[in-house]
């Protein structure tokens, strides 16, 4: 097993760059921390290197032992971790259209991670993200997904084009909106449905609202809107695949 103790080792420097989006995009790699996320990544077949500062036997072909100082330099977790993995980005095509999520300009990594996790929990087929959504491979996003990141396909694309393509394929597209919308309870369940959720501050872009087949709102009292991850959870539960 390879052993690294120097903080200036070229691999340590290379791995540390994966904490920045630019570094991840250039390398096509990202980091996960902790046993649960590593196990999920290994199931998905995307692990390239295991990094550990203890004697755990991962039975993985490329495992690197590092000093506690190196692990501390690499980790961004508030709690001490002893295992990390370098993973390959592996975006997959979305092949089924029964239930889809379209995310328009989500900025908070925690919200994005929660939406991904919820989509998996309620058997959604895939997620389309607008180009200005926050990074799926951000550490906070990854932790929030609890490994769901590895079990659902997602595509970063222009959502106006995605809406048109989905409608051509027979998918009914709904945009969450306050104005000119019907109550959530009046929506009829269909065989192919897609739901657009918008930016935390601005909501779904007006152009996307116009393109959607129907605007819908969640009925509530006392407030006009909910946190986007909460709203998404309500929508996905209501129209989950059973």
């Amino acid at each position: 097993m390879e052993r690294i103790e120097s903080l200036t080792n070229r691999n340590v420097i290379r791995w540390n760059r994966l904490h920045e989006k630019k570094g991840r995009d250039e390398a096509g790699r990202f980091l996960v921390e902790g046993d649960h996320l590593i196990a999920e990544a290994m199931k998905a077949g995307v692990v390239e290197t295991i990094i550990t500062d203890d004697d755990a036997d991962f039975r993985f072909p490329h495992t690197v032992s590092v000093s506690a100082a190196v692990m501390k330099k690499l980790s961004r977790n508030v709690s001490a971790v002893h295992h990390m993995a370098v993973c390959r980005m592996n975006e997959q095509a979305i092949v089924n259209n029964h239930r889809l999520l379209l995310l328009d300009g989500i900025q908070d990594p925690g919200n994005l991670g929660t939406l991904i996790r919820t989509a998996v929990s309620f058997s959604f087929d895939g997620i389309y993200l607008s180009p200005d959504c926050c990074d799926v491979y951000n550490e906070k996003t990854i932790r929030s997904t609890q490994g769901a990141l590895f079990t659902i396909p997602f595509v970063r694309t222009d959502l106006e084009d995605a809406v048109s393509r989905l409608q051509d394929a027979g998918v009914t597209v709904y945009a969450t909106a306050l104005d000119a919308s019907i109550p959530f309870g009046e929506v009829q369940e269909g065989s192919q449905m897609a739901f657009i959720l918008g930016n935390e501050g601005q909501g779904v872009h007006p152009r996307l609202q116009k393109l959607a087949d129907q605007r819908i709102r969640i009925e509530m009292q006392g407030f006009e809107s909910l946190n986007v991850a909460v709203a998404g959870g309500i929508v996905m539960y209501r129209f989950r695949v059973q």
Side-chain angles (χ1 to χ4, degrees):
M1 182 187 300
E2 181 182 355
R3 173 73 178 177
I4 298 176
E5 297 188 357
S6 171
L7 298 179
T8 59
N9 177 278
R10 63 183 180 85
N11 283 327
V12 174
I13 294 172
R14 177 167 58 88
W15 294 333
N16 204 43
R17 288 180 182 144
L18 300 180
H19 289 297
E20 304 297 329
K21 185 178 186 304
K22 180 180 179 182
R24 292 191 291 269
D25 289 344
E26 289 177 350
R29 304 289 187 274
F30 62 101
L31 294 172
V32 298
E33 303 186 37
D35 293 349
H36 173 69
L37 287 174
I38 291 174
E40 294 301 314
M42 291 181 74
K43 288 179 186 176
V46 297
V47 174
E48 182 175 84
T49 302
I50 297 289
I51 305 167
T52 178
D53 69 352
D54 66 16
D55 297 326
D57 183 6
F58 282 92
R59 300 185 184 277
F60 189 75
H62 191 212
T63 300
V64 178
S65 172
V66 301
S67 66
V70 169
M71 182 62 74
K72 184 176 180 181
K73 179 180 178 68
L74 291 174
S75 177
R76 293 295 184 273
N77 204 311
V78 293
S79 303
V81 298
H82 299 285
H83 314 126
M84 304 179 69
V86 180
C87 301
R88 296 179 296 274
M89 293 181 181
N90 186 33
E91 295 188 5
Q92 304 176 41
I94 298 172
V95 296
N96 294 317
N97 292 331
H98 302 300
R99 294 293 183 270
L100 298 168
L101 197 63
L102 282 70
L103 301 180
D104 179 27
I106 303 300
Q107 295 301 297
D108 182 83
N111 283 337
L112 178 56
T114 300
L115 287 164
I116 292 171
R117 183 179 178 183
T118 306
V120 171
S121 298
F122 296 135
S123 301
F124 270 53
D125 296 310
I127 301 173
Y128 290 94
L129 303 100
S130 66
D132 57 343
C133 272
C134 60
D135 188 13
V136 172
Y137 299 108
N138 176 287
E139 289 96 341
K140 186 176 180 181
T141 304
I142 293 172
R143 287 196 300 272
S144 297
T145 71
Q146 286 293 301
L149 169 73
F150 303 113
T151 62
I152 189 169
F154 55 88
V155 175
R156 191 175 292 270
T157 187
D158 182 276
L159 292 190
E160 293 184 33
D161 290 342
V163 168
S164 295
R165 292 195 304 270
L166 291 172
Q167 289 170 330
D168 288 344
V171 179
T172 304
V173 179
Y174 298 88
T176 54
L178 294 177
D179 300 326
S181 56
I182 65 171
F184 185 65
E186 295 181 10
V187 178
Q188 298 298 311
E189 187 165 351
S191 60
Q192 297 188 106
M193 307 175 76
F195 302 91
I196 310 174
L197 299 173
N199 173 271
E200 290 87 346
Q202 304 300 319
V204 176
H205 194 283
R207 289 199 301 271
L208 288 172
Q209 292 186 33
K210 291 179 181 179
L211 285 175
D213 295 294
Q214 183 65 64
R215 303 179 196 185
I216 60 174
R217 68 181 184 275
I218 299 171
E219 306 96 315
M220 64 187 77
Q221 295 179 349
F223 293 92
E224 286 190 342
S225 62
L226 295 169
N227 169 276
V228 66
V230 173
I234 293 171
V235 170
M236 287 185 276
Y237 175 77
R238 168 65 178 80
F239 294 104
R240 67 194 184 280
V241 177
Q242 302 185 59

